[in-house]
Amino acid sequence: MSRDVCIHTWPCTYYLEPKRRWVTGQLSLTSLSLRFMTDSTGEILVSFPLSSIVEIKKEASHFIFSSITILEKGHAKHWFSSLRPSRNVVFSIIEHFWRELLLSQPGAVADASVPRTRGEELTGLMAGSQKRLEDTARVLHHQGQQLDSVMRGLDKMESDLEVADRLLTELESPAWWPFSSKLWKTPPETKPREDVSMTSCEPFGKEGILIKIPAVISHRTESHVKPGRLTVLVSGLEIHDSSSLLMHRFEREDVDDIKVHSPYEISIRQRFIGKPDMAYRLISAKMPEVIPILEVQFSKKMELLEDALVLRSARTSSPAEKSCSVWHADPEEDEGAGPGGRE
């Protein structure tokens, strides 16, 4: 799969400094770069790698209209306004991918513009595949332990039922019957009665944590997002905010469906009758590491949408799909303007 995959596209306006006017178009975020394309001509006015960004800020043009400014190396400053669905959504996602790129590839950031050789790409793919196989093996190992625990629990239940059956037989026998108790008081076959909870000890952590990743989280509506963390457990999923406070825990059996919107975005839903569903949407630069684990944990509940089919095709060929999913516009979002007004 190509590393520079288009993640999201947002309608917005860009301040064109030479002509001192605003231009409408689409701001596209990929895993490695940002670019702005005009609606009228389809021309790419600006494109730069995320590694060249020095600062991302929320500002107001003429102290009235909300905007996002991006400062590049070399002191080039870009103004984006009228962002849909909201400025906070766009800012949170761009900042997340920018920070994750700086944190995860400290040595490669300076050489991000240098194309990698075929051997380096194959080595990276092999390392990623090995890590996913290790994660999958840990999940399968734990599932085997859970099955063993279930079998021991069934054996314990069978033993308890035999004891109950003997006691009921004694109670139902007539008091004058001389052989009622002596014939049944044979020592039962000793079976190991291990505490079921003892067999549920996890080979990789007290809580059975498979992986933790930072994420940008939205609850029901995509117009309001917050940074947080997704934790994949052997028993379910947990979503925390940036202060490590638990927002929601999905038990494994409570998850009804997981939709993969793109290699970097998923939504998790639990259905209810008579009240709104519990649904969260998460986007993360680390999501490609989580999706293979979720496919093992929730194989029958996973659904790959159109933009996520690149995950499946990448296993057989290098995909050329680079379609972008657009966040729906919020009708209540105010139109912004910029440093020089709007035409």
Side-chain angles (χ1 to χ4, degrees), residues 75-338:
H75 305 288
K77 191 172 184 179
H78 305 280
W79 287 76
F80 300 95
S81 188
S82 296
L83 296 153
R84 298 294 183 89
S86 70
R87 180 180 67 168
N88 288 337
V89 168
V90 180
F91 176 83
S92 298
I93 295 176
I94 294 177
E95 184 188 42
H96 167 80
F97 279 87
W98 173 54
R99 290 185 181 276
E100 287 301 315
L101 178 65
L102 295 180
L103 292 173
S104 62
Q105 300 175 349
V109 171
D111 301 327
S113 59
V114 179
R116 299 196 305 170
T117 64
R118 186 65 175 173
E120 290 174 338
E121 292 182 356
L122 291 175
T123 303
L125 288 174
M126 290 176 61
S129 299
Q130 181 181 0
K131 186 178 184 304
R132 293 188 182 98
L133 286 173
E134 290 174 355
D135 294 337
T136 304
R138 288 203 303 270
V139 174
L140 292 175
H141 174 69
H142 181 75
Q143 289 179 345
Q145 285 189 328
Q146 288 180 322
L147 290 175
D148 292 340
S149 174
V150 170
M151 291 302 298
R152 277 188 283 267
L154 291 175
D155 290 339
K156 183 178 182 298
M157 292 172 59
E158 183 182 358
S159 177
D160 292 341
L161 287 173
E162 289 177 358
V163 173
D165 184 59
R166 285 196 301 272
L167 295 175
L168 287 174
T169 303
E170 291 185 8
L171 292 174
E172 292 174 354
S173 299
W176 50 267
W177 184 250
F179 309 104
S180 59
S181 60
K182 294 182 180 180
L183 291 179
W184 288 96
K185 285 185 178 178
T186 56
E189 181 184 356
T190 58
K191 294 186 179 181
R193 293 195 177 188
E194 301 180 14
D195 189 0
V196 177
S197 62
M198 294 296 292
T199 62
S200 62
C201 58
E202 317 301 344
F204 33 82
K206 182 179 178 182
E207 299 296 332
I209 297 175
L210 298 177
I211 190 172
K212 292 181 181 180
I213 61 166
V216 179
I217 304 164
S218 61
H219 180 39
R220 293 176 181 167
T221 174
E222 298 173 359
S223 301
H224 301 89
V225 301
K226 61 173 63 177
R229 184 180 76 244
L230 170 66
T231 303
V232 181
L233 309 167
V234 292
S235 58
L237 304 170
E238 287 185 351
I239 298 174
H240 296 80
D241 61 14
S242 56
S243 302
S244 296
L245 296 176
L246 181 64
M247 297 174 60
H248 189 73
R249 176 185 172 95
F250 291 95
E251 296 296 337
R252 187 171 175 180
E253 61 274 10
D254 292 339
V255 176
D256 288 307
D257 60 67
I258 298 178
K259 294 183 179 180
V260 183
H261 301 271
S262 77
Y264 299 92
E265 183 179 3
I266 65 171
S267 60
I268 307 168
R269 182 174 61 166
Q270 177 183 1
R271 295 190 181 94
F272 292 98
I273 299 176
K275 61 179 181 178
D277 295 343
M278 182 63 65
Y280 282 89
R281 194 163 181 145
L282 302 99
I283 180 169
S284 173
K286 302 290 186 181
M287 196 63 74
E289 301 177 14
V290 175
I291 292 176
I293 300 176
L294 294 178
E295 287 180 334
V296 176
Q297 290 281 76
F298 306 94
S299 57
K300 296 182 179 180
K301 301 177 181 180
M302 295 282 290
E303 180 183 358
L304 293 179
L305 301 183
E306 183 178 357
D307 288 346
L309 293 178
V310 65
L311 289 169
R312 184 169 295 170
S313 61
R315 297 168 186 169
T316 56
S317 62
S318 58
E321 299 177 31
K322 294 197 176 182
S323 58
C324 302
S325 58
V326 182
W327 288 56
H328 300 293
D330 186 353
E332 297 180 358
E333 177 71 18
D334 294 333
E335 293 289 335

